[in-house]
Amino acid sequence: MNAPDYLLNVWKRFDGFPMETLTKVWAKKQRSVSQMREDQIHYGITGNCFDLSIWLLNEFKEEGIKAYPIGHHLHSKHAHAAIIAEDERGRRFLCDLGDQWLKPILIDVKDQEYTNEMLGVFFPAADIRVSQVENNLQIEYFRPSGKVSRQIYDASRVEESSFCSAAEYSQQTIHPIPLLECRCPYKNEIAHWEFYGWKSFLSTTEGLIDDPDLHSVQEWTARINKKTGFNTVFLNKVLEIYKNKIFD
């Protein structure tokens, strides 16, 4: 179910990249890959699922790897974006930086290396199982608490012009609650840290670990900076916008 090394080598360039919606209120439009690279160098910032997918797609193309965008609920507030990359044998791998997967996974259920067993090491703090439901891809997530959740992907190609249009729509659709997710080391695993609703917590194979409550933008700026390395001036500015709900 693992991707070949040449595909993984591209994916690993994004290992330290969180998924976040903070940049939406700062950039106010869909950024080019060159702009995203520059912003990451200067401010440490990354972007939402569309930003990360567009950037990853560009990296695959530069390495000569066949890849294309996918998504669901495009042009809506529930949109999600990811990438499918193909190896030299034409096998397809789901590459989802927006949900902070640890690595790509094989989705061709007829391939001899496919298994419908529960698998670890692909997703933080959960085992996963890949299956096909009608013409769609289903991912099941098995949490340490016993909770099971499911996500359905339409793995068919989205034309890049339509994908870019959906990305721009997403950039203009500001949810009033900021979100940031990142992968971070915890003991002997890579866990998942999330900031949402002015609370934060760590998802691990031991269960959820809640962070102490904070009460000011300055405190949140310090905590998020420690987790991500994002520029503190940037963080303070965008968090003030979200706190005061000034979305012009």
Side-chain angles (χ1 to χ4, degrees):
M1 300 289 279
N2 287 306
D5 286 345
Y6 58 85
L7 198 155
L8 282 173
N9 289 339
V10 176
W11 171 269
K12 288 177 180 178
R13 297 173 189 173
F14 297 84
D15 276 355
F17 282 38
M19 187 290 298
E20 44 88 3
T21 62
L22 307 179
T23 305
K24 281 188 175 187
V25 300
W26 180 76
K28 299 183 180 179
K29 64 178 181 179
Q30 180 57 54
R31 296 171 294 157
S32 65
V33 171
S34 60
Q35 185 64 57
M36 286 189 275
R37 285 174 173 156
E38 183 176 331
D39 292 342
Q40 204 278 328
I41 291 170
H42 287 112
Y43 305 104
I45 59 179
T46 50
N48 65 10
C49 63
F50 282 96
D51 293 318
L52 294 171
S53 294
I54 289 169
W55 196 344
L56 178 61
L57 179 63
N58 185 79
E59 295 289 314
F60 279 139
K61 287 185 173 181
E62 287 186 348
E63 296 298 331
I65 296 171
K66 185 177 180 181
Y68 55 87
I70 64 169
H72 59 72
H73 296 97
L74 300 182
H75 295 93
S76 82
K77 64 181 181 179
H78 303 296
H80 182 64
I83 296 297
I84 297 292
E86 296 184 7
D87 67 9
E88 58 191 7
R89 293 153 55 188
R91 300 184 307 159
R92 299 174 300 156
F93 294 84
L94 173 67
C95 305
D96 192 343
L97 287 170
D99 277 350
Q100 293 288 281
W101 281 65
L102 299 177
K103 56 183 179 179
I105 191 166
L106 179 72
I107 63 169
D108 288 323
V109 298
K110 295 182 180 180
D111 189 89
Q112 62 182 6
E113 295 184 20
Y114 164 80
T115 178
N116 64 355
E117 298 292 324
M118 290 169 51
L119 301 170
V121 308
F122 284 94
F123 195 85
D127 291 334
I128 59 92
R129 180 162 59 204
V130 178
S131 60
Q132 184 173 317
V133 177
E134 296 179 346
N135 293 323
N136 295 317
L137 169 69
Q138 176 178 267
I139 306 292
E140 296 172 277
Y141 304 86
F142 301 87
R143 313 286 179 178
S145 64
K147 178 183 176 181
V148 180
S149 58
R150 296 171 178 82
Q151 184 170 9
I152 300 294
Y153 291 84
D154 180 350
S156 57
R157 177 194 300 268
V158 177
E159 291 302 320
E160 289 191 32
S161 59
S162 178
F163 190 77
C164 289
S165 173
E168 187 62 52
Y169 183 95
S170 175
Q171 298 297 338
Q172 303 299 323
T173 305
I174 308 296
H175 192 285
I177 301 174
L179 170 66
L180 184 146
E181 303 176 27
C182 64
R183 297 158 288 184
C184 58
Y186 174 76
K187 295 184 179 179
N188 297 318
E189 64 178 292
I190 301 297
H192 180 278
W193 186 78
E194 181 170 331
F195 161 64
Y196 182 72
W198 302 99
K199 293 186 178 295
S200 62
F201 59 89
L202 189 68
S203 298
T204 78
T205 55
E206 299 171 0
L208 291 180
I209 303 172
D210 291 318
D211 292 331
D213 288 344
L214 298 178
H215 304 287
S216 71
V217 164
Q218 292 73 24
E219 289 175 309
W220 278 113
T221 291
R223 179 177 288 176
I224 296 171
N225 167 263
K226 185 176 180 180
K227 289 290 184 182
T228 66
F230 283 11
N231 178 276
T232 55
V233 175
F234 163 84
L235 285 171
N236 195 75
K237 179 177 180 179
V238 298
L239 291 174
E240 284 285 1
I241 292 172
Y242 273 106
K243 195 71 174 178
N244 296 302
K245 296 181 170 57
I246 307 170
F247 307 120
D248 53 15

